[in-house]
Amino acid sequence: MITFSGYYGVSSLGINYGQVANNLPAPDKVLELLSSLKLTKARIYDTNPQILTAFANSTAELVVTVENQILFQLTDAQQAYQWVNTHVKPYFPATKITGIAVGNEVFTGEDTTQISYLVPAMVNIHAALAQLGLDKYIQVSTPNSLAVLQESYPPSAGSFNVKVVGVMSQLLKFLSDTKSPFWINAYPYFAYKDNPDKISIDYVLFNPNSGMVDPTTNMHYDNMLYAQVDAVIFAIAKLGYGNIDVRVSETGWPSNGDGEEIGASLENAAVYNRNLLRRQHENEGTPLRPNWRLEVYVFALFNEDMKPGPSSERNYGLYRPDGTMCYNVGLYALSNSSPITGSVSHTPTVSKVIN
């Protein structure tokens, strides 16, 4: 068995299970991997029936995703009902679907027409869940890029881009009314890559550092991720919503990149995710909300060889598709347990868990 060394029962930690690859293990093998890692929360970027079927009768909680390209269809209430009835209801409750991500980074996507479809689609999806008696079990939200913020530094200056404020206000009302979280995709890596001369690598990697103090709140930040989350909380509060839970739907660090992708390395990826796991183990909140345990989904479970863009995009995984670890984030093999399939290497950097 493989597990997070010392990280048993970290209920606020999840993993993003992307599938933009042609060489990933079968969903039942992925479930075995997640189970062996004691990870009970995962997010997928569609409603892949093979995954939903494979994850039935397991402890894994799943967030599924409505693809951006069908948002317009779901502005029609009947089509939204049909979508839930077809893609969610047949699998629930055997498969523990706990959330529906309606779109992904819609506010900052290339197709700006989708922004106007977002909230109506979310309203209709929630209404369909309510009709089917599932709204008590499944939350509806949408993951947002940090680029929805006009200002993020210092955190107290956090504010939304004026271009999205109108629809963002509608989204926040929906989240408040349905007691659903605001999801943010937050990557300190991007900030560091774009400005390595001015941003401390230790600050973005959760390493010991002097940090920064917000001059308005006098709150001390020793890492960028928490500062980014608090900037979002401040931006939400400025639109009149002070009690919406903010959760990190994606964060991670690439283990490889192109020459100009400063900071993308095996060592930095291992340090970032290892330190993040340690913070999760301590059930930390942010300086602004120290008593609200911050829920985080790491990106990603696997390297995905078919993702477009720079090399870093294909190198966010904790694992390679063949089941070997890309780097050790505190994972170890227990010698007295049998492997999932095949053999387990007990070297500190590679543990083979999937054939």
Side-chain angles (χ1 to χ4, degrees), residues 1 29 39 45 65 82 104 106 117 122 133 142 174 176 211 218 261 270 274-275 300 337 339:
M1 183 177 71
K29 300 301 182 187
L39 286 172
Y45 291 81
T65 302
Q82 190 60 44
N104 187 56
V106 174
Y117 309 147
M122 294 175 74
T142 185
F174 169 82
S176 178
N218 288 322
E261 293 188 287
R274 187 180 299 134
N275 285 338
S337 297

Side-chain angles (χ1 to χ4, degrees), residues 16 43 152 157 177 275:
N16 284 282
R43 174 187 167 210
S152 62
D177 289 347
N275 285 338

Side-chain angles (χ1 to χ4, degrees), residues 243-255:
N243 289 308
I244 292 177
D245 191 12
V246 174
R247 301 177 185 175
V248 179
S249 38
E250 289 181 16
T251 192
W253 198 285
S255 60

